[in-house]
Short mmCIF file of all heavy atoms in Angstrom, two decimals:
data_model
loop_
_atom_site.label_atom_id
_atom_site.label_comp_id
_atom_site.label_asym_id
_atom_site.label_seq_id
_atom_site.Cartn_x
_atom_site.Cartn_y
_atom_site.Cartn_z
N ILE V 11 0.85 -1.18 0.00
CA ILE V 11 0.00 0.00 0.00
C ILE V 11 0.90 1.24 0.00
O ILE V 11 1.73 1.42 0.89
CB ILE V 11 -0.92 0.03 1.24
CG1 ILE V 11 -1.84 -1.20 1.26
CG2 ILE V 11 -1.74 1.32 1.27
CD1 ILE V 11 -2.85 -1.23 0.13
N THR V 12 0.74 2.09 -1.00
CA THR V 12 1.52 3.31 -1.09
C THR V 12 0.89 4.39 -0.22
O THR V 12 -0.29 4.71 -0.38
CB THR V 12 1.61 3.80 -2.54
OG1 THR V 12 2.28 2.80 -3.33
CG2 THR V 12 2.40 5.11 -2.62
N VAL V 13 1.67 4.94 0.69
CA VAL V 13 1.19 6.03 1.55
C VAL V 13 1.40 7.36 0.83
O VAL V 13 0.51 8.18 0.76
CB VAL V 13 1.92 6.02 2.91
CG1 VAL V 13 1.47 7.22 3.76
CG2 VAL V 13 1.63 4.72 3.65
N ASP V 14 2.59 7.57 0.31
CA ASP V 14 2.91 8.75 -0.49
C ASP V 14 4.19 8.45 -1.27
O ASP V 14 4.62 7.29 -1.33
CB ASP V 14 3.05 10.01 0.39
CG ASP V 14 4.05 9.84 1.52
OD1 ASP V 14 5.03 9.10 1.35
OD2 ASP V 14 3.84 10.44 2.59
N SER V 15 4.81 9.46 -1.84
CA SER V 15 5.99 9.24 -2.67
C SER V 15 7.21 8.78 -1.88
O SER V 15 8.18 8.29 -2.46
CB SER V 15 6.35 10.52 -3.43
OG SER V 15 6.65 11.57 -2.53
N LYS V 16 7.17 8.89 -0.56
CA LYS V 16 8.32 8.54 0.27
C LYS V 16 8.19 7.21 0.98
O LYS V 16 9.19 6.66 1.45
CB LYS V 16 8.57 9.64 1.31
CG LYS V 16 8.96 10.98 0.74
CD LYS V 16 9.21 11.98 1.87
CE LYS V 16 9.62 13.34 1.34
NZ LYS V 16 9.87 14.31 2.44
N SER V 17 6.98 6.70 1.15
CA SER V 17 6.82 5.52 1.99
C SER V 17 5.66 4.65 1.55
O SER V 17 4.71 5.10 0.90
CB SER V 17 6.63 5.94 3.46
OG SER V 17 5.57 6.86 3.58
N SER V 18 5.76 3.37 1.93
CA SER V 18 4.71 2.40 1.62
C SER V 18 4.67 1.36 2.72
O SER V 18 5.58 1.25 3.55
CB SER V 18 4.97 1.73 0.27
OG SER V 18 6.21 1.03 0.29
N LEU V 19 3.58 0.57 2.75
CA LEU V 19 3.39 -0.48 3.74
C LEU V 19 3.24 -1.81 3.03
O LEU V 19 2.45 -1.92 2.08
CB LEU V 19 2.15 -0.20 4.59
CG LEU V 19 2.17 1.08 5.42
CD1 LEU V 19 0.75 1.41 5.91
CD2 LEU V 19 3.11 0.94 6.60
N THR V 20 3.99 -2.83 3.47
CA THR V 20 3.92 -4.16 2.86
C THR V 20 3.22 -5.11 3.82
O THR V 20 3.64 -5.24 4.98
CB THR V 20 5.32 -4.69 2.54
OG1 THR V 20 5.97 -3.80 1.63
CG2 THR V 20 5.24 -6.08 1.91
N PHE V 21 2.16 -5.77 3.35
CA PHE V 21 1.43 -6.74 4.16
C PHE V 21 1.52 -8.11 3.49
O PHE V 21 1.12 -8.26 2.33
CB PHE V 21 -0.05 -6.35 4.27
CG PHE V 21 -0.29 -5.05 4.99
CD1 PHE V 21 -0.32 -3.85 4.30
CD2 PHE V 21 -0.48 -5.02 6.36
CE1 PHE V 21 -0.55 -2.65 4.95
CE2 PHE V 21 -0.71 -3.82 7.03
CZ PHE V 21 -0.73 -2.64 6.32
N PRO V 22 2.02 -9.13 4.21
CA PRO V 22 1.95 -10.49 3.67
C PRO V 22 0.53 -11.02 3.78
O PRO V 22 -0.35 -10.34 4.31
CB PRO V 22 2.91 -11.26 4.59
CG PRO V 22 2.84 -10.53 5.88
CD PRO V 22 2.66 -9.07 5.52
N ASP V 23 0.27 -12.21 3.28
CA ASP V 23 -1.07 -12.77 3.39
C ASP V 23 -1.35 -13.19 4.84
O ASP V 23 -0.45 -13.43 5.62
CB ASP V 23 -1.26 -13.97 2.45
CG ASP V 23 -0.28 -15.09 2.72
OD1 ASP V 23 0.73 -14.84 3.42
OD2 ASP V 23 -0.51 -16.21 2.24
N ILE V 24 -2.63 -13.23 5.18
CA ILE V 24 -3.09 -13.65 6.51
C ILE V 24 -2.37 -12.87 7.60
O ILE V 24 -1.91 -13.42 8.60
CB ILE V 24 -2.92 -15.17 6.72
CG1 ILE V 24 -3.30 -15.95 5.46
CG2 ILE V 24 -3.79 -15.65 7.89
CD1 ILE V 24 -3.08 -17.44 5.56
N ALA V 25 -2.26 -11.56 7.43
CA ALA V 25 -1.51 -10.73 8.37
C ALA V 25 -2.40 -9.93 9.30
O ALA V 25 -1.90 -9.18 10.14
CB ALA V 25 -0.60 -9.79 7.61
N VAL V 26 -3.73 -10.07 9.18
CA VAL V 26 -4.64 -9.19 9.92
C VAL V 26 -5.58 -10.01 10.81
O VAL V 26 -6.07 -11.08 10.41
CB VAL V 26 -5.46 -8.31 8.95
CG1 VAL V 26 -6.39 -7.39 9.70
CG2 VAL V 26 -4.52 -7.50 8.05
N ALA V 27 -5.83 -9.48 12.01
CA ALA V 27 -6.70 -10.16 12.97
C ALA V 27 -7.69 -9.17 13.56
O ALA V 27 -7.53 -7.95 13.45
CB ALA V 27 -5.86 -10.79 14.08
N HIS V 28 -8.75 -9.73 14.17
CA HIS V 28 -9.67 -8.90 14.95
C HIS V 28 -8.95 -8.40 16.20
O HIS V 28 -7.85 -8.87 16.53
CB HIS V 28 -10.91 -9.71 15.35
CG HIS V 28 -11.75 -10.14 14.20
ND1 HIS V 28 -12.64 -9.29 13.56
CD2 HIS V 28 -11.85 -11.34 13.56
CE1 HIS V 28 -13.26 -9.94 12.59
NE2 HIS V 28 -12.80 -11.18 12.55
N GLU V 29 -9.57 -7.47 16.91
CA GLU V 29 -8.95 -6.94 18.13
C GLU V 29 -8.76 -8.01 19.19
O GLU V 29 -7.86 -7.91 20.03
CB GLU V 29 -9.77 -5.78 18.69
CG GLU V 29 -9.67 -4.51 17.88
CD GLU V 29 -10.13 -3.30 18.65
OE1 GLU V 29 -11.36 -3.14 18.80
OE2 GLU V 29 -9.27 -2.54 19.12
N ASN V 30 -9.59 -9.07 19.16
CA ASN V 30 -9.44 -10.14 20.14
C ASN V 30 -8.37 -11.15 19.76
O ASN V 30 -8.15 -12.14 20.48
CB ASN V 30 -10.78 -10.86 20.37
CG ASN V 30 -11.30 -11.55 19.11
OD1 ASN V 30 -10.61 -11.67 18.10
ND2 ASN V 30 -12.55 -12.01 19.18
N GLY V 31 -7.69 -10.93 18.62
CA GLY V 31 -6.61 -11.82 18.21
C GLY V 31 -7.00 -12.90 17.22
O GLY V 31 -6.13 -13.54 16.62
N SER V 32 -8.31 -13.14 17.01
CA SER V 32 -8.74 -14.15 16.05
C SER V 32 -8.51 -13.66 14.63
O SER V 32 -8.60 -12.46 14.35
CB SER V 32 -10.21 -14.50 16.26
OG SER V 32 -11.03 -13.37 16.04
N LEU V 33 -8.20 -14.58 13.72
CA LEU V 33 -7.87 -14.21 12.34
C LEU V 33 -9.06 -13.53 11.67
O LEU V 33 -10.21 -13.89 11.85
CB LEU V 33 -7.47 -15.44 11.55
CG LEU V 33 -6.10 -16.05 11.87
CD1 LEU V 33 -5.86 -17.29 11.01
CD2 LEU V 33 -4.99 -15.03 11.64
N TYR V 34 -8.74 -12.51 10.87
CA TYR V 34 -9.75 -11.78 10.11
C TYR V 34 -9.61 -12.15 8.64
O TYR V 34 -8.49 -12.23 8.11
CB TYR V 34 -9.57 -10.28 10.29
CG TYR V 34 -10.44 -9.45 9.36
CD1 TYR V 34 -11.79 -9.27 9.62
CD2 TYR V 34 -9.91 -8.87 8.20
CE1 TYR V 34 -12.58 -8.52 8.78
CE2 TYR V 34 -10.69 -8.12 7.35
CZ TYR V 34 -12.03 -7.94 7.64
OH TYR V 34 -12.82 -7.21 6.79
N SER V 35 -10.73 -12.34 7.97
CA SER V 35 -10.72 -12.64 6.54
C SER V 35 -11.65 -11.67 5.83
O SER V 35 -12.81 -11.50 6.22
CB SER V 35 -11.20 -14.09 6.30
OG SER V 35 -11.23 -14.37 4.91
N GLY V 36 -11.14 -11.00 4.82
CA GLY V 36 -11.96 -10.05 4.08
C GLY V 36 -11.18 -8.81 3.72
O GLY V 36 -9.95 -8.79 3.74
N GLU V 37 -11.90 -7.75 3.40
CA GLU V 37 -11.26 -6.50 2.99
C GLU V 37 -10.74 -5.73 4.20
O GLU V 37 -11.38 -5.67 5.24
CB GLU V 37 -12.24 -5.62 2.21
CG GLU V 37 -12.53 -6.11 0.80
CD GLU V 37 -13.29 -5.09 -0.02
OE1 GLU V 37 -13.90 -4.17 0.59
OE2 GLU V 37 -13.29 -5.19 -1.26
N VAL V 38 -9.58 -5.13 4.00
CA VAL V 38 -8.96 -4.31 5.03
C VAL V 38 -8.77 -2.90 4.46
O VAL V 38 -8.20 -2.73 3.38
CB VAL V 38 -7.59 -4.87 5.45
CG1 VAL V 38 -6.93 -3.96 6.49
CG2 VAL V 38 -7.73 -6.28 5.97
#
């Protein structure tokens, strides 16, 4: 994900969870 011309964020697959720690599946 490009933030701007100076920086970006790289996310591997299955990298996101709910606040309780359980895996999240879907759009982020």
Side-chain angles (χ1 to χ4, degrees):
I11 299 294
T12 298
V13 176
D14 54 32
S15 61
K16 295 181 179 180
S17 54
S18 61
L19 298 165
T20 301
F21 296 90
D23 59 344
I24 319 177
V26 181
H28 295 281
E29 287 197 284
N30 63 9
S32 62
L33 288 179
Y34 171 78
S35 178
E37 287 191 341
V38 178

